[in-house]
Amino acid sequence: MRNIIVGAGLTGAVLANLIAIVLKEKVLIIDKRDTIAGNIYDEKDSQTGIIVHKYGPHIFHTNNEKVWAFLSKYTEWYDFSFMPNAYINGKFVNIPFNINTIYQLFPSEKAQKLEEKLIREYGYDASIPLLEMLKNPDNDISFISNYIYEYMFKNYTIKQWGFDPKEIDKSITARVPIRISKDNRYFTDKYQGIPLNGYTKMVENILNHPNITIKLNTDFKFVSGHYDRIFYTGSIDEYFDYKYGELPYRSLEFDVREIDKEYYQKSAMTNYPNDYDFTRIVEHKHFLNTKSDKTIITMEYPKQFVLNKNERFYPIAKPENQELYDKYMKEANKIKGLYFIGRLGAYKYLNMDQAVENVFEFFENRIKGELINA
Ligand code: FAD
Ligand code: UDP
């Protein structure tokens, strides 16, 4: 079998690994970039030793034992709990919005009343998506949910997506629910961490097998020859030369700066919902607790994706976009041996663990299934 994987990101790498080790077949993996690892690419700054996440902050988190066990074969982990902040009304507060945030923003008597009401209404330790909480007619709950909407979500979401939170799929804002507890962690998954030697090294280890050949600086557009199986982790509209139109994406511009002081901010990420044009500032040395006199930060500016100008980072969850994707998939399904997978290929807002989980499912159900039925 001649196998080609288009895209050497996490999806492509895990798939190549399974083809090489489980099927014992040879596979060529290509990427148009000059690096492996796709959007989880990171690199060590030679002066400070700080590993910089080139395409936005990446924190691995999962409840999936199988995914954790698989990746743990290829990396050791730095035990990192992500506890970011947001700058709201002149104060640096905890996010996800939780009971601690309430005490940071309101006088203690008011905060206590809100805390009691939230616990009575939802129970301690509940996680409530903002759009759910906004439906609650109770005066106090309505006060706090509207406050969170106004100061934490509205302007951030308009910057990030170009839409109000109520105009995008509710799963997007539900990624950061309101916590009725004092847990400041962004993620509550059982397994969390940062690869001790970086994500790129982890992907390099996943791809390190004699059956796998890697070719970088290679766009599929310019690849010739016959392949029995094409696994495409790029965007499906590009594969079909945009015959039905372009799938929209959100892009980002990264402003990376070296700062001549030990620390710039308290945590790895500070969100700025209402101030400045960027959404957040990431300080990379926090991820692995790297010691250095200097620090490196990245300011993240959301942008519209424009073909041949910038990169695709976020699929935009809207029904009309899904319809366009489905139209392309109908074409794809007619072609034997052509598969679309990954955050771009599936046009889904996948976290890293979901991307790996999808490869496992795809490999078991589609590839091994097809072999059994052949
Ligand atoms: P990608 O990494 O996008 O890889 C696709 C690859 O295909 C790219 O390298 C691209 O160059 C290549 N390609 C495309 N078209 C072609 C072509 N025609 N020819 C050759 N090559 C091609 N997940 C988490 O779990 N935790 C986080 O904290 C987190 N933070 C994130 C922050 C940001 C800003 C972003 C954008 C994503 C974040 N993610 C996070 C999600 C994570 O990045 C993805 O789950 C993961 O990168 C998906 O990997 P992939 O291989 O499917 O896609
Ligand atoms: N969000 C927000 N304010 C915040 C953090 C998140 O409005 O301070 C909303 C915003 O719409 C964002 C979504 O919640 O796109 C998901 O946030 P997450 O931090 O998961 O985004 P990612 O890291 O994937 O860019």
Side-chain angles (χ1 to χ4, degrees):
M1 278 279 183
R2 279 174 60 95
N3 299 298
I4 185 168
I5 298 176
V6 181
L10 185 61
T11 297
V14 174
L15 186 58
N17 179 287
L18 297 180
I19 292 173
I21 294 176
V22 182
L23 297 187
K24 299 185 173 54
E25 288 182 22
K26 291 204 178 301
V27 53
L28 170 66
I29 182 164
I30 63 164
D31 206 295
K32 60 182 168 188
R33 293 186 186 168
D34 60 359
T35 65
I36 57 165
N39 288 344
I40 68 173
Y41 176 76
D42 54 14
E43 67 185 20
K44 193 181 263 189
D45 175 66
S46 58
Q47 273 193 359
T48 58
I50 298 167
I51 292 188
V52 176
H53 295 192
K54 282 283 179 184
Y55 301 101
H58 278 81
I59 299 93
F60 186 81
H61 57 101
T62 191
N63 284 317
N64 187 315
E65 308 267 348
K66 225 179 121 191
V67 169
W68 180 255
F70 176 88
L71 294 179
S72 300
K73 286 193 282 187
Y74 300 100
T75 186
E76 286 180 61
W77 300 94
Y78 176 72
D79 188 7
F80 178 77
S81 278
F82 191 36
M83 291 193 248
N85 298 100
Y87 183 67
I88 290 176
N89 286 339
K91 292 190 175 124
F92 290 97
V93 300
N94 291 111
I95 49 161
F97 202 101
N98 66 50
I99 308 259
N100 289 328
T101 323
I102 294 180
Y103 280 89
Q104 287 155 359
L105 287 168
F106 301 105
S108 56
E109 216 172 286
K110 172 112 185 137
Q112 202 177 341
K113 190 171 172 224
L114 290 168
E115 175 185 7
E116 282 163 13
K117 182 56 87 58
L118 284 165
I119 293 174
R120 208 176 320 137
E121 198 74 15
Y122 296 109
Y124 191 78
D125 222 13
S127 282
I128 320 293
L130 172 66
L131 296 182
E132 273 305 304
M133 199 181 268
L134 279 170
K135 291 183 197 153
N136 194 320
D138 176 273
N139 272 346
D140 294 322
I141 306 280
S142 176
F143 165 79
I144 191 66
S145 62
N146 277 293
Y147 185 96
I148 300 170
Y149 172 78
E150 203 54 47
Y151 292 106
M152 193 172 259
F153 279 81
K154 191 173 107 191
N155 295 325
Y156 187 104
T157 302
I158 290 171
K159 275 196 250 183
Q160 172 71 14
W161 299 99
F163 306 113
D164 185 278
K166 290 169 187 162
E167 290 173 70
I168 52 167
D169 194 278
K170 59 183 193 305
S171 63
I172 308 265
T173 46
R175 287 169 61 87
V176 192
I178 288 114
R179 293 258 180 74
I180 318 300
S181 74
K182 293 189 173 180
D183 188 347
N184 290 331
R185 293 172 310 158
Y186 213 56
F187 307 114
T188 52
D189 304 54
K190 184 167 171 192
Y191 303 107
Q192 308 193 27
I194 308 286
L196 204 54
N197 297 306
Y199 288 98
T200 308
K201 187 70 195 163
M202 177 181 83
V203 172
E204 192 184 308
N205 292 340
I206 295 172
L207 287 169
N208 182 15
H209 191 278
N211 282 346
I212 300 175
T213 305
I214 306 167
K215 258 179 101 176
L216 300 177
N217 299 306
T218 305
D219 193 318
F220 183 69
K221 253 193 315 232
F222 305 112
V223 170
S224 54
H226 169 78
Y227 288 91
D228 303 295
R229 297 197 198 101
I230 299 170
F231 304 99
Y232 200 90
T233 75
S235 192
I236 195 167
D237 55 346
E238 187 173 314
Y239 181 89
F240 286 108
D241 213 12
Y242 310 102
K243 64 195 270 192
Y244 299 129
E246 270 186 51
L247 274 170
Y249 286 90
R250 247 357 227 174
S251 188
L252 296 168
E253 200 176 286
F254 301 103
D255 181 359
V256 186
R257 296 193 189 180
E258 188 182 289
I259 309 274
D260 200 5
K261 60 181 183 182
E262 196 181 357
Y263 285 100
Y264 181 81
Q265 61 192 27
K266 223 171 84 184
S267 62
M269 184 175 91
T270 304
N271 288 2
Y272 290 83
N274 309 308
D275 304 271
Y276 312 108
D277 290 338
F278 51 79
T279 46
R280 53 192 183 187
I281 298 183
V282 173
E283 185 173 22
H284 300 270
K285 71 186 335 184
H286 291 282
F287 289 127
L288 292 165
N289 196 19
T290 310
K291 301 294 172 207
S292 160
D293 294 347
K294 294 185 175 159
T295 192
I296 298 175
I297 61 166
T298 301
M299 282 162 266
E300 231 173 272
Y301 294 85
K303 301 274 169 197
Q304 196 186 340
F305 165 71
V306 182
L307 195 60
N308 301 323
K309 191 172 158 224
N310 52 20
E311 300 264 354
R312 300 172 170 100
F313 288 120
Y314 296 89
I316 302 176
K318 289 205 154 208
E320 60 271 29
N321 301 344
Q322 190 57 43
E323 269 169 39
L324 180 56
Y325 178 81
D326 292 344
K327 203 166 162 186
Y328 278 117
M329 263 321 278
K330 245 183 161 170
E331 283 289 300
N333 286 335
K334 290 184 205 152
I335 303 169
K336 195 170 174 282
L338 175 63
Y339 310 91
F340 288 88
I341 184 167
R343 183 150 152 145
L344 303 178
Y347 199 65
K348 284 206 177 100
Y349 195 157
L350 299 175
N351 293 327
M352 289 180 274
D353 62 327
Q354 296 167 318
V356 176
E357 201 176 329
N358 277 7
V359 177
F360 289 170
E361 274 169 26
F362 169 78
F363 187 75
E364 276 306 311
N365 301 333
R366 299 285 304 275
I367 302 309
K368 281 173 90 180
E370 280 172 23
L371 282 177
I372 290 162
N373 296 326

Short mmCIF file of all heavy atoms in Angstrom, two decimals, residues 66 80 83 137 142 144 276 308 317:
data_model
loop_
_atom_site.label_atom_id
_atom_site.label_comp_id
_atom_site.label_asym_id
_atom_site.label_seq_id
_atom_site.Cartn_x
_atom_site.Cartn_y
_atom_site.Cartn_z
N LYS A 66 -6.29 6.25 27.52
CA LYS A 66 -5.59 5.68 26.37
C LYS A 66 -4.72 6.74 25.67
O LYS A 66 -3.59 6.46 25.28
CB LYS A 66 -6.65 5.15 25.38
CG LYS A 66 -6.33 3.77 24.84
CD LYS A 66 -7.42 3.30 23.89
CE LYS A 66 -6.81 3.02 22.54
NZ LYS A 66 -7.79 2.81 21.48
N PHE A 80 1.92 20.58 35.19
CA PHE A 80 1.55 21.99 35.12
C PHE A 80 0.05 22.17 35.32
O PHE A 80 -0.76 21.53 34.66
CB PHE A 80 1.95 22.54 33.74
CG PHE A 80 1.58 23.99 33.51
CD1 PHE A 80 2.32 25.00 34.10
CD2 PHE A 80 0.49 24.32 32.72
CE1 PHE A 80 1.98 26.33 33.89
CE2 PHE A 80 0.15 25.66 32.50
CZ PHE A 80 0.91 26.66 33.10
N MET A 83 -3.45 28.17 35.62
CA MET A 83 -4.30 29.07 36.41
C MET A 83 -4.13 30.50 35.91
O MET A 83 -3.40 31.30 36.51
CB MET A 83 -3.93 28.96 37.89
CG MET A 83 -4.31 27.61 38.47
SD MET A 83 -4.22 27.61 40.24
CE MET A 83 -2.87 26.51 40.46
N PRO A 137 -33.63 33.91 35.92
CA PRO A 137 -34.27 35.20 36.15
C PRO A 137 -34.00 35.80 37.55
O PRO A 137 -34.29 36.97 37.77
CB PRO A 137 -35.76 34.89 36.00
CG PRO A 137 -35.88 33.43 36.31
CD PRO A 137 -34.57 32.78 35.99
N SER A 142 -28.85 37.06 37.93
CA SER A 142 -28.91 37.85 36.71
C SER A 142 -27.87 38.98 36.77
O SER A 142 -27.20 39.28 35.77
CB SER A 142 -30.33 38.42 36.59
OG SER A 142 -30.40 39.24 35.52
N ILE A 144 -24.98 38.92 38.39
CA ILE A 144 -23.60 38.40 38.21
C ILE A 144 -23.38 37.86 36.80
O ILE A 144 -22.34 38.07 36.19
CB ILE A 144 -23.21 37.37 39.32
CG1 ILE A 144 -21.71 37.06 39.29
CG2 ILE A 144 -24.01 36.09 39.27
CD1 ILE A 144 -20.84 38.21 39.65
N TYR A 276 -7.09 47.03 24.97
CA TYR A 276 -6.17 46.70 23.86
C TYR A 276 -6.85 45.90 22.73
O TYR A 276 -7.98 45.45 22.88
CB TYR A 276 -4.93 45.92 24.36
CG TYR A 276 -4.29 46.54 25.59
CD1 TYR A 276 -4.40 45.94 26.83
CD2 TYR A 276 -3.59 47.74 25.47
CE1 TYR A 276 -3.82 46.53 27.95
CE2 TYR A 276 -3.02 48.32 26.59
CZ TYR A 276 -3.14 47.71 27.82
OH TYR A 276 -2.58 48.29 28.93
N ASN A 308 -3.58 32.69 1.49
CA ASN A 308 -2.22 33.08 1.07
C ASN A 308 -1.65 34.26 1.84
O ASN A 308 -0.61 34.81 1.46
CB ASN A 308 -2.15 33.40 -0.44
CG ASN A 308 -2.57 32.22 -1.26
OD1 ASN A 308 -2.28 31.08 -0.90
ND2 ASN A 308 -3.29 32.46 -2.35
N ALA A 317 -17.59 27.78 14.12
CA ALA A 317 -18.75 26.89 14.33
C ALA A 317 -20.06 27.62 14.04
O ALA A 317 -20.66 28.24 14.92
CB ALA A 317 -18.74 26.36 15.76
#
